Amino acid sequence: MLEGIFSGLSTAVMPINLLMVVVGCFAGTFIGMLPGLGPITAIALMIPITYGFDPSTGLILMAGVYYGAIFGGSTSSILINAPGVAGTVATAFDGYPMAQQGHAGKALAIAAYSSFSGGTIAAIFLLVAAPALASVSLSFQSADYFALMVLGLTAVSAFAGKGQVLKAITMTLFGIMLSTIGTDPAAGVARFTFGSMDLVDGISFLLLAMSTFALSEALLQILRPTKDTRTDEQKALRNLGSMKLTKEEVKIMTPVIARSSVLGFFTGVLPGAGATIASFLAYGLERNLASAKEKLKFGKGSIRGLTAPETANNAACSGSFVPLLTLGIPGSGTTAVMMGALISYGVQPGPRLFVEQPDVFWSVIISMYIGNIVLLVLNLPLIPYISRLLALPQQLLVPFVLFFSLIGVYLVTFNTMDIHMMVLAAAIAIGLRLLNYPMAPMLLGFILGEMMEENLRRALMISDGSISFLWERPITLVILLISIAFLLAPLVGNTRQWLRNRKAVPNDGEM
């Protein structure tokens, strides 16, 4: 293990990797500040750039973009009440009221210190937890892997937004169907290609990711132009105020950071959870723990209310790398994009990564420490200048995204058919997004579908075609039972709500 850590350390401190951490953090902070462009879009845009890189360098850049975007999202949440990413929505609850009271600088400083602390503590947890989990998962067999893929898909579907569970499951199945297009890996027969040679190798992950996130997002910005808030933004940027914290404020923040770091990390470890759920859970926990007097401050500029979600969302980002690196299961849409990129580099995330490519495994973890320091440097002395980028008009940004996504896909294959398919996929994605169908489960289904098929075939061959492998191995059975519980959880919740409403109706009638 120590040998692996030293190997990762030497890789992480290479000049090119240090440069990628800085570039990733800066690009992520910038894109995270811009409402509408989340970390998935940012990482999708980075994939063509990283194709010529070493896998470690590519993943370090994308990881920097990921936690940089979460970091940057807090700036727009605090200054203009427009969260750049979903994970910083809870930050606006108390950050924006603080800015309105003339304490924008202090709110940004609290966010920066909280994010740094949460990210660093979670990276320490990752250092300890990842090898232990990887050691356990080395005993996994094909049947267990198949069950893990099922768990990853059901968990993400179950954690979808309220009222979107069926839509998320539909999109997951759609993604699995897309993954079957191309040549059958076992029989060597073309499947669903309709005689087209361009589909023999299947649909490119890069094409799908860029069209469904980057291209469709840019086209939606054109179809649904948002209100020009540059005047409000400029006004907010002129009145940042002091960024110094008092001893009393640090004393309030310290226990909140400790609690929220632990909560955020373990929430991030759960497949399908992530920064958004972690930030809301931490906010809710602090509000419940607060005294009656402190509770009144929540929503009006509470330091505890700002510290908790900012700590938890960064801790969750680090936590989400645990299932990705040790089990090969992406815990969120963002890590799903990273996993697809890793596979296209020829690196298979999962238990063997820890043994076969320790430099990739450890360099990513160690780069997180460096990234947190870079983000702290960016967000304290430079924030008054970086935040001016908030006033960048979308008319400049949208053509950039359109150009970069189209040219990025074309330069990988030099096949014009990919551009046609990309436009078609983006048009379908726009239609689905307008109908509130989530895109992340589709991408997860596409990535996990192929691996699920391979492991299912292998498990069936080992058991002579019998499906008894589903219950013969205790690990497989337990994972599948957890998957069923994830699927049934929304149904149970809806039933309880329906029964509660049914009981409430007669009472209302009596009144």
Side-chain angles (χ1 to χ4, degrees), residues 118-128 265 315 318-319 365 368-369 372:
T120 306
I121 293 171
I124 294 170
F125 285 150
L126 181 61
L127 191 72
V128 176
F265 177 78
S318 300
I365 295 175
M368 288 181 181
Y369 293 95
N372 276 304

Side-chain angles (χ1 to χ4, degrees), residues 362-381:
W362 290 111
S363 63
V364 174
I365 295 175
I366 291 167
S367 76
M368 288 181 181
Y369 293 95
I370 303 169
N372 276 304
I373 295 168
V374 170
L375 284 169
L376 191 66
V377 171
L378 279 176
N379 278 265
L380 281 178

Side-chain angles (χ1 to χ4, degrees), residues 29-376:
T29 303
F30 170 51
I31 295 175
M33 281 194 296
L34 301 171
L37 294 179
I40 298 183
T41 306
I43 291 171
L45 284 171
M46 292 293 154
I47 295 173
I49 298 174
T50 59
Y51 261 24
F53 289 178
D54 180 77
S56 303
T57 308
L59 194 59
I60 285 172
L61 174 66
M62 287 190 282
V65 171
Y66 183 24
Y67 42 75
I70 300 294
F71 223 96
S74 63
T75 304
S76 55
S77 293
I78 291 168
L79 292 180
I80 58 173
N81 199 24
V85 295
T88 60
V89 169
T91 303
F93 295 166
D94 285 285
Y96 185 59
M98 280 184 78
Q100 284 185 312
Q101 293 160 20
H103 304 301
K106 186 165 285 189
L108 289 169
I110 291 172
Y113 288 125
S114 304
S115 300
F116 170 76
S117 307
T120 306
I121 293 171
I124 294 170
F125 285 150
L126 181 61
L127 191 72
V128 176
L133 265 174
S135 301
V136 172
S137 54
L138 278 174
S139 61
F140 279 27
Q141 296 183 3
S142 300
D144 309 324
Y145 277 113
F146 169 73
L148 272 177
M149 303 301 150
V150 174
L151 174 65
L153 293 174
T154 55
V156 170
S157 301
F159 277 106
K162 194 177 180 183
Q164 286 193 321
V165 177
L166 279 178
K167 288 182 176 179
I169 293 172
T170 306
M171 293 304 289
T172 305
L173 293 174
F174 182 45
I176 294 173
M177 287 165 65
L178 289 177
S179 73
T180 62
I181 295 174
T183 305
D184 186 323
V189 179
R191 299 185 300 195
F192 313 115
T193 59
F194 305 102
S196 171
M197 290 302 291
D198 292 300
L199 289 175
V200 167
D201 291 332
I203 298 175
S204 155
F205 161 76
L206 175 66
L207 185 153
L208 200 62
M210 294 287 269
S211 56
T212 51
F213 287 101
L215 189 59
S216 67
E217 182 63 48
L219 292 173
L220 273 174
Q221 296 277 353
I222 296 170
L223 292 172
R224 292 191 302 195
T226 52
K227 183 187 169 188
D228 190 351
T229 57
R230 276 175 290 162
T231 307
D232 299 335
E233 290 159 7
Q234 292 286 5
K235 187 179 173 184
L237 297 173
R238 281 197 297 270
N239 302 309
L240 290 185
S242 171
M243 298 182 79
K244 288 184 180 175
L245 300 181
T246 63
K247 283 185 182 176
E248 188 62 32
E249 288 165 343
V250 173
K251 198 175 169 184
I252 295 171
M253 288 170 60
T254 305
V256 179
I257 286 172
R259 284 191 291 267
S260 302
S261 297
V262 177
L263 179 67
F265 177 78
F266 286 106
T267 307
V269 169
L270 290 173
T276 309
I277 293 174
S279 62
F280 278 102
L281 282 178
Y283 188 86
L285 176 69
E286 285 308 315
R287 196 174 182 282
N288 289 334
L289 291 177
S291 63
K293 188 180 173 184
E294 286 177 326
K295 211 172 272 185
L296 294 174
K297 296 179 184 173
F298 277 76
K300 298 173 185 172
S302 165
I303 291 174
R304 290 178 68 168
L306 175 58
T307 304
E310 267 306 294
T311 307
N313 60 25
N314 276 270
C317 287
S318 300
S320 67
F321 279 84
V322 173
L324 173 68
L325 295 177
T326 60
L327 299 174
I329 297 178
S332 63
T334 311
T335 47
V337 176
M338 286 191 199
M339 181 173 169
L342 269 178
I343 293 171
S344 50
Y345 298 151
V347 176
Q348 181 63 54
R352 301 303 303 175
L353 180 66
F354 175 67
V355 178
E356 292 169 358
Q357 291 175 298
D359 54 328
V360 176
F361 187 90
W362 290 111
S363 63
V364 174
I365 295 175
I366 291 167
S367 76
M368 288 181 181
Y369 293 95
I370 303 169
N372 276 304
I373 295 168
V374 170
L375 284 169
L376 191 66

